[in-house]
Amino acid sequence: MDLKNEPEENQAVSENLVVTHRRKVRLYSVDANRVVDIARHVWIGLLKRRSAYLTEKTLERLNIKCTQLDLSTGAPSDGSEIFIRPFPTARIHEILARTEPWHECKLLEKGFTRQSTAALILNCLVEWLTHNKGGTEKRLINYTDWHTRSMQYSEGERLYESEIRDGRGPDWSVEKVLDKMDGLTPHVSCLLADTAPLRDAQLSRAEMWCILRITYRRMKLREYRKHRIIPVTVISAADRRVRIVQGYFDSEEGCVRVRKSPILDFDQGDVGQKIILLLSWCIGDTVGHTKA
């Protein structure tokens, strides 16, 4: 979503929402208070950004620490904790051989815009997760305790409204959210379709917005207040390229920690294998120490 032309009065409202929630959260925990302070700093910084990307200078100013992420293991290159351990791809192959979702989902037809092509890839992931052949086979997602849902209004949908009122459609969208919805697991993932091409060396503003807004809403839910870390995993797609971006707010160090994977190019190599690799992230095991 491009907020570069956001009216000043709307920016003021956005900042006031953060401050107002900060007063409420002060009743919860020291960690939550610190996260709200970090979130407010990042939020204001993102509102001021005109570019679709975050430069090194911007990362430094907003205190966002970025490192690399291994697609096969979920391990960050800085040796810190793993939060998603990808589901075994061999097991996914076995399950998909029974559900045969490819009959219902055509991959990457030509002639679409960047955002619609990205949405096709992400919707294909959802179809492969939830398809059951003839209504008789167990769905892939049902072998885990993950669920799909739409993005909540308070997670980011309301940020679209000013652009829609101004006649400008948002240039990114969250197609689905993946959530265990058990009131215990703070981990949450989302499927992001963006028009800004992915850059190896830079995070996109849309990726950071997703981490910020989903974390912010999660903190407001009573059942997650004992957690000092809310790991947010973004399956980020632009045109025919996809990567994994994972982030969380570090209340102890006063920063946002983000990991990004290499980019998968759907114009090269085995498309089916890339889909299966991404599926392994959609239904991976949630791990790591997240409680205070």
Side-chain angles (χ1 to χ4, degrees):
M1 179 183 346
D2 187 359
L3 294 175
K4 64 184 179 182
N5 295 316
E6 182 79 349
E8 290 184 5
E9 60 270 22
N10 286 350
Q11 292 191 28
V13 169
S14 298
E15 293 180 22
N16 287 338
L17 284 171
V18 179
V19 174
T20 300
H21 181 55
R22 181 183 176 188
R23 295 193 188 106
K24 295 178 182 178
V25 174
R26 288 198 181 281
L27 301 175
Y28 303 160
S29 71
V30 173
D31 283 313
N33 294 336
R34 289 172 180 165
V35 168
V36 169
D37 287 335
I38 302 166
R40 182 174 184 273
H41 178 60
V42 174
W43 186 315
I44 294 171
L46 290 178
L47 285 173
K48 294 177 180 178
R49 289 294 299 162
R50 293 184 176 273
S51 171
Y53 305 98
L54 305 183
T55 64
E56 287 294 330
K57 186 176 180 180
T58 301
L59 294 180
E60 183 177 354
R61 186 173 69 252
L62 298 181
N63 206 11
I64 299 172
K65 312 291 187 184
C66 191
T67 190
Q68 299 301 307
L69 182 67
D70 188 289
L71 273 172
S72 299
T73 65
S77 60
D78 62 1
S80 55
E81 277 197 283
I82 295 173
F83 292 115
I84 294 287
R85 184 175 292 121
F87 195 88
T89 56
R91 180 69 174 135
I92 293 177
H93 275 286
E94 292 176 10
I95 298 168
L96 294 182
R98 296 194 295 272
T99 61
E100 298 182 359
W102 43 81
H103 293 307
E104 302 295 328
C105 180
K106 295 181 180 179
L107 280 175
L108 307 181
E109 296 181 21
K110 300 289 186 180
F112 294 94
T113 64
R114 282 198 181 109
Q115 188 171 1
S116 64
T117 301
L120 279 176
I121 295 174
L122 299 177
N123 289 331
C124 181
L125 290 178
V126 174
E127 181 65 34
W128 285 35
L129 284 170
T130 59
H131 179 72
N132 60 336
K133 181 182 177 183
T136 58
E137 292 290 342
K138 188 175 179 181
R139 296 174 174 88
L140 174 59
I141 199 168
N142 295 143
Y143 286 85
T144 73
D145 49 3
W146 285 98
H147 302 271
T148 62
R149 62 173 174 82
S150 297
M151 194 175 200
Q152 299 294 322
Y153 180 76
S154 57
E155 285 174 312
E157 287 294 327
R158 68 184 182 81
L159 295 177
Y160 296 166
E161 289 189 345
S162 63
E163 296 187 2
I164 294 172
R165 284 198 301 269
D166 292 341
R168 296 177 289 115
D171 58 8
W172 61 268
S173 62
V174 171
E175 300 300 311
K176 282 292 179 183
V177 174
L178 294 162
D179 193 348
K180 294 204 171 182
M181 296 192 290
D182 57 6
L184 300 172
T185 308
H187 307 59
V188 62
S189 302
C190 70
L191 309 183
L192 168 68
D194 198 357
T195 56
L198 296 178
R199 292 182 179 178
D200 284 304
Q202 291 181 313
L203 293 171
S204 75
R205 187 176 53 183
E207 290 165 342
M208 199 61 231
W209 266 123
C210 288
I211 294 168
L212 173 64
R213 285 301 308 165
I214 292 175
T215 298
Y216 195 67
R217 178 182 182 273
R218 204 76 156 173
M219 284 176 50
K220 294 165 67 176
L221 302 177
R222 183 178 299 275
E223 56 265 38
Y224 299 108
R225 292 176 191 165
K226 293 181 180 179
H227 294 274
R228 63 180 177 83
I229 292 175
I230 307 292
V232 178
T233 301
V234 182
I235 300 174
S236 177
D239 201 2
R240 299 162 72 89
R241 306 177 82 209
V242 188
R243 71 177 170 197
I244 305 294
V245 175
Q246 190 177 75
Y248 67 96
F249 287 76
D250 186 336
S251 59
E252 293 182 355
E253 298 295 329
C255 66
V256 185
R257 298 197 179 276
V258 180
R259 303 100 175 255
K260 58 181 175 62
S261 77
I263 295 171
L264 297 174
D265 190 339
F266 277 73
D267 279 329
Q268 301 176 5
D270 188 327
V271 169
Q273 287 299 106
K274 290 181 174 66
I275 288 289
I276 287 173
L277 181 56
L278 294 174
L279 288 172
S280 74
W281 277 87
C282 292
I283 56 173
D285 293 332
T286 53
V287 295
H289 297 92
T290 60
K291 288 189 175 180

